[in-house]
């Protein structure tokens, strides 16, 4: 179902936007985005739109997911920490790229609903937990990659510590209204920061994020 629309979405938005990572393109051709949005929104699932997923949260634009996935520079063997499971779409795209994903979500009911969807769709390489992602998930650290899908006022210290040597983290940092996507690479105890485009994400709420 929706296969033609999904392929069109990838061509019209993802490839047209300049995404060249074949693994990202192949994954986005596979993941059924319409199952990650509310039933009433399914007809809009293959537009380049962020859509409501309940609990005051949104699923990111497909082009944002594509761009962040490409910026992670994955070969397919990495272990990834995702902060902000939300609908689960970003995690599913990463799982389709062959990596192991550890994903944290602070809204318990949303996390449980998304875990059920992963089970139904057979995404067994995604591990989820309910909790404050600004503190990371120490049990499985260090991570080759960290992706934060909500906007943070700063780069959380705990996440930097959980990034593996030669690892890479993608995180939107800035004000609540707009943020710069930051690409952080670790070289032993040195961290290098590059800035990508300005974006708008929902806020990262937590001890090392925004307060409610
Ligand atoms: N990756 C998601 C997707 O594919 O749908 C994007 C979801 S949304 C843009 C960001 C998510 O981050 C929301 O579900 C929100 O509840 C969650 N979030 C915000 N602060 C968080 C925190 N401190 N720890 C874990 N999740 C958090």
């Amino acid at each position: 179902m929706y296969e033609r629309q999904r392929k069109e979405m990838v061509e019209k938005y993802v490839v047209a936007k300049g995404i060249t990572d074949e693994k990202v393109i192949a994954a986005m051709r596979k993941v059924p985005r319409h199952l990650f949005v509310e039933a009433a929104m399914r007809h809009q699932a293959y537009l380049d739109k962020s859509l409501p997923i309940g609990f005051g949260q949104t699923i990111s634009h497909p082009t944002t997911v594509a761009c962040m996935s490409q910026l992670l520079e994955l070969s397919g063997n990495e272990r990834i920490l995702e902060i902000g499971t939300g609908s689960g779409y970003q995690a599913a795209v990463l799982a389709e790229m062959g990596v192991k994903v550890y994903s944290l979500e602070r809204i318990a009911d949303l996390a449980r609903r998304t875990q059920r969807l992963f089970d139904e769709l057979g995404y067994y390489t995604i591990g989820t937990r309910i909790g404050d992602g600004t503190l990371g998930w120490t049990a499985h650290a260090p991570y080759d990659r960290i992706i934060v899908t909500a906007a943070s006022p700063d780069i959380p210290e705990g996440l930097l510590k959980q990034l593996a040597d030669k690892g890479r983290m993608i995180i939107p940092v800035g004000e609540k209204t707009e943020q710069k996507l930051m690409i952080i690479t670790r070289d032993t105890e040195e961290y290098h920061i590059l800035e990508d485009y300005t974006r708008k994400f929902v806020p990262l709420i937590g001890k090392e994020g925004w307060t409610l």
Side-chain angles (χ1 to χ4, degrees):
M1 217 175 150
Y2 287 105
E3 211 166 317
R4 183 179 54 79
Q5 289 92 327
R6 187 156 56 247
K7 288 203 169 117
E8 272 175 22
M9 172 194 83
V10 174
E11 293 313 312
K12 203 165 146 194
Y13 307 120
V14 175
V15 175
K17 180 115 184 178
I19 299 298
T20 52
D21 185 330
E22 286 299 333
K23 287 189 295 306
V24 175
I25 295 170
M28 292 190 70
R29 281 196 184 121
K30 271 180 110 175
V31 181
R33 190 171 187 257
H34 62 280
L35 299 181
F36 292 79
V37 303
E38 290 175 345
M41 296 284 165
R42 281 194 181 152
H43 62 292
Q44 298 192 55
Y46 295 104
L47 300 176
D48 192 20
K49 275 182 142 186
S50 79
L51 296 168
I53 55 170
F55 309 94
Q57 303 302 322
T58 53
I59 179 173
S60 306
H61 288 69
T63 49
T64 301
V65 171
C67 181
M68 290 180 88
S69 305
Q70 176 161 283
L71 285 171
L72 286 172
E73 296 189 354
L74 297 172
S75 65
N77 303 314
E78 294 85 354
R79 297 165 70 258
I80 303 192
L81 175 66
E82 179 192 34
I83 311 302
T85 317
S87 71
Y89 179 70
Q90 171 75 73
V93 167
L94 296 173
E96 287 289 354
M97 294 172 74
V99 299
K100 168 87 186 137
V101 185
Y102 297 90
S103 189
L104 283 165
E105 171 57 56
R106 61 176 283 276
I107 302 174
D109 287 345
L110 176 58
R112 281 193 276 267
R113 188 185 78 191
T114 300
Q115 179 60 61
R116 275 198 300 277
L117 183 64
F118 289 150
D119 292 343
E120 276 165 33
L121 298 179
Y123 283 116
Y124 304 121
T125 54
I126 305 171
T128 61
R129 212 189 83 185
I130 299 160
D132 178 3
T134 65
L135 306 174
W137 189 345
T138 47
H140 302 287
Y143 300 95
D144 304 305
R145 303 287 186 270
I146 299 179
I147 176 171
V148 183
T149 68
S152 183
D154 280 303
I155 303 166
E157 194 65 34
L159 295 186
L160 287 176
K161 289 200 185 111
Q162 290 175 37
L163 185 64
D165 187 25
K166 312 292 179 226
R168 193 173 172 84
M169 167 154 78
I170 313 292
I171 176 171
V173 180
E175 302 304 315
K176 272 191 180 162
T177 46
E178 61 171 39
Q179 312 85 32
K180 292 248 188 245
L181 206 50
M182 305 239 173
I183 304 148
I184 300 146
T185 47
R186 179 172 188 174
D187 191 357
T188 51
E189 289 316 306
E190 268 185 48
Y191 294 88
H192 303 275
I193 304 179
L194 272 173
E195 272 183 19
D196 202 65
Y197 306 101
T198 301
R199 308 288 164 105
K200 178 151 180 33
F201 285 78
V202 298
L204 182 74
I205 315 277
K207 197 151 182 260
E208 291 197 42
W210 300 98
T211 42
L212 259 183

